[in-house]
Amino acid sequence: MPLMTTKPMFDLAYDGGFAIGAFNVNNMELAQAIVEACAKEKSPCILQISKGARKYANIRYLRHIIDAAVEEYPQLPISIHCDHGDTVDLIKTCINDGYTSVMIDGSHHPYDANVRLTKEVVRIAHAAGVVVEAELGMLGGIEEDVVGMDAAEYEKNVEKFLTDPKQAADYWQQTGIDSLAVAIGTSHGAYKFKHEAKLAFNRIEQIMKTCPGLPLVMHGSSSVPQEFIDLVNKYGGNMPNARGVPEDQIAMAARKYGVCKVNIDTDLRLAMTAKIREVFATKPAEFDPRNYLGPAREAILGMVRRKLHMLNSAGKADAVNAHWEKLGRPLPGYYSRKKAG
Ligand code: G3H
Ligand code: 13P
Ligand code: ZN
C-alpha cells in the first residue's frame, strides 16, 4: 500500500468516532516505534515532520527512514505531513520531497494575510494532489504571538486566542483547505495548564456548526502522563509542574467533535527521555547506544499504542485502505511521477 493523503482517513474518522494520531518524527527510533505500534494495532498513521526535524536529521535521511517504514509495513495506511510549515517555499520543497499532506501555519499573520498565504498554498498543493491543513487562532507554546507567555498568562487570555467560529467558516470558504487546526485551549510542550486542564468544547461545537463536515485538527495534544514525569524526575530530571491535556478530553474530542487529527510529540519525547534516564541511572557503566536507544524505542512504542486506543483508531487500517481503493487509489503527483518515470 503506498503512502496516501489524509483524505481517506478523515472521510472515515469524521463520522466514525475516531481520530488519527499525528506523531512527530525526528530520528530512526521514533519512526520505527511509531509505525510498529500502528502496525500492531492496525491503525492508520500520520508521520509528521517539523522544520526543526528537517534541520536536525536532514530530510534525505528522514525520507529514506520513512521509505523504509513504508516498505516494512506495506499494508499500513500512512500519510507524511509537514508540521507547521510557514512559507510557500518550504511547502513547495515538502511537496517535492514526497509529503502527502502539508500544514501552512499563517495563524500569527493578520487575517487577510493568512487567507492570501493559505490560498496560495492550497493552489500549489492541490495541483500536486496534496492536501492542506491550516490554522486559525493561537495556541500557547511555540506560536509567535504567545511565545514566552507562561501557561497562567495564556489561560487568563485564552478566550481571545481561541478560534472564532464565524471566521473559520469564512476562512474555509475563501481558501478551500482540507482540514482546520483549531485553538481550543491546548498548547505545545509539557507545561500546558497552570489551573484547570479543560478544553473549550463549546467552541468546538460552534465550529462544527459553522463548518459542517470540515475535519478539525488538535495540536498540542500530549497528555504528559504523570508516571512518565515521575520517572524523569526520579532519575535525575527536573520537570516540576508539567501538565498535559487529560486523555478523556482528547478521547471525547476524537469521538464526538469532528476532530480527525491529533498531534502528539511531547509524550514521545517524554517516553524516550524517561527510559534513557532510567538506563543511565540504573546502569552507570552502560555506554552502548543500542542498549539505551533500544529500550527508549520500546517505551515510545508503548506510548503510541496507548494513544491509538485513546483515539479509537486501533483496528481501522483495513477500512481506511478499502476507502482509499474506493476513491480510486488516489496518489499525490510525486508518486505518479515516480511511477511514470
Ligand atoms: O508543534 C511542534 C512540534 O512539537 C515540533 O516541535 O519544532 O521542536 O520539532 P519542533
Ligand atoms: P505536543 O507538544 O502537545 O505533543 O503537541 C505537538 C504538536 O502539536 C505538533 O504540531
Ligand atoms: Zn503543533
Side-chain angles (χ1 to χ4, degrees):
M1 193 69 55
L3 298 170
M4 60 179 72
T5 72
T6 52
K7 181 176 165 52
M9 302 180 184
F10 293 175
D11 277 0
L12 298 193
Y14 193 88
D15 289 319
F18 67 98
I20 319 295
F23 302 103
N24 287 72
V25 179
N26 287 282
N27 66 10
M28 181 185 78
E29 283 76 11
L30 280 157
Q32 289 176 326
I34 297 163
V35 291
E36 190 182 335
C38 291
K40 283 204 157 89
E41 297 295 345
K42 298 193 183 333
S43 167
C45 159
I46 300 172
L47 299 175
Q48 55 184 14
I49 301 169
S50 70
K51 215 166 131 177
R54 291 178 68 95
K55 194 165 159 212
Y56 170 75
N58 179 338
I59 191 59
R60 280 212 180 106
Y61 290 85
L62 280 184
R63 207 173 45 213
H64 286 286
I65 288 168
I66 287 169
D67 278 352
V70 174
E71 219 175 292
E72 185 81 357
Y73 297 106
Q75 292 309 315
L76 197 65
I78 301 179
S79 296
I80 308 298
H81 175 77
C82 163
D83 190 27
H84 293 283
D86 54 354
T87 63
V88 169
D89 280 349
L90 174 63
I91 297 294
K92 281 185 183 162
T93 308
C94 290
I95 293 171
N96 291 332
D97 282 337
Y99 291 38
T100 65
S101 169
V102 291
M103 174 194 193
I104 181 70
D105 183 358
S107 57
H108 48 286
H109 292 306
Y111 181 62
D112 289 348
N114 187 6
V115 169
R116 271 198 305 279
L117 175 66
T118 307
K119 259 173 127 163
E120 176 65 356
V121 165
V122 169
R123 187 183 65 75
I124 294 163
H126 282 183
V130 167
V131 291
V132 179
E133 169 189 329
E135 180 173 318
L136 265 190
M138 209 74 72
L139 274 81
I142 59 162
E143 302 201 340
E144 285 167 30
D145 290 21
V146 291
V147 101
M149 191 180 282
D150 71 10
E153 185 70 9
Y154 183 78
E155 273 165 63
K156 216 166 79 196
N157 293 290
V158 74
E159 279 292 321
K160 83 169 189 240
F161 297 128
L162 299 183
T163 304
D164 177 325
K166 274 205 190 118
Q167 197 175 58
D170 181 70
Y171 185 61
W172 182 25
Q173 199 258 324
Q174 284 206 59
T175 60
I177 52 169
D178 302 282
S179 60
L180 178 69
V182 289
I184 47 158
T186 64
S187 59
H188 294 92
Y191 303 91
K192 300 187 191 298
F193 300 95
K194 205 63 174 205
H195 302 106
E196 197 187 356
K198 204 162 151 244
L199 298 184
F201 283 110
N202 54 345
R203 193 58 75 103
I204 321 184
E205 261 174 348
Q206 290 164 6
I207 298 168
M208 284 179 79
K209 279 200 187 115
T210 58
C211 304
L214 178 62
L216 305 179
V217 178
M218 264 174 56
H219 283 245
S221 296
S222 280
S223 54
V224 191
Q226 189 57 44
E227 61 269 35
F228 286 85
I229 294 297
D230 291 345
L231 276 178
V232 167
N233 291 339
K234 176 175 171 191
Y235 293 116
N238 184 17
M239 299 186 70
N241 308 319
R243 201 141 165 233
V245 184
E247 288 186 327
D248 59 336
Q249 294 192 32
I250 299 172
M252 193 143 92
R255 278 170 172 77
K256 282 178 51 184
Y257 289 92
V259 171
C260 296
K261 172 171 177 275
V262 170
N263 285 14
I264 296 168
D265 184 4
T266 294
D267 283 348
L268 309 191
R269 297 179 184 197
L270 273 179
M272 187 168 193
T273 302
K275 188 44 85 175
I276 290 174
R277 280 193 178 283
E278 184 186 332
V279 175
F280 285 164
T282 55
K283 298 177 185 159
E286 185 56 69
F287 73 104
D288 181 341
R290 292 169 298 189
N291 293 337
Y292 52 88
L293 292 178
R297 184 171 55 194
E298 279 301 304
I300 300 163
L301 184 127
M303 180 66 87
V304 174
R305 292 185 82 168
R306 167 180 178 154
K307 299 294 167 185
L308 302 175
H309 286 279
M310 174 188 76
L311 299 172
N312 195 26
S313 70
K316 303 292 195 299
D318 287 349
V320 168
N321 285 338
H323 186 54
W324 182 73
E325 297 275 350
K326 206 171 114 197
L327 292 174
R329 302 165 69 98
L331 285 173
Y334 176 90
Y335 298 96
S336 317
R337 278 204 301 279
K338 227 176 163 183
K339 252 172 68 184

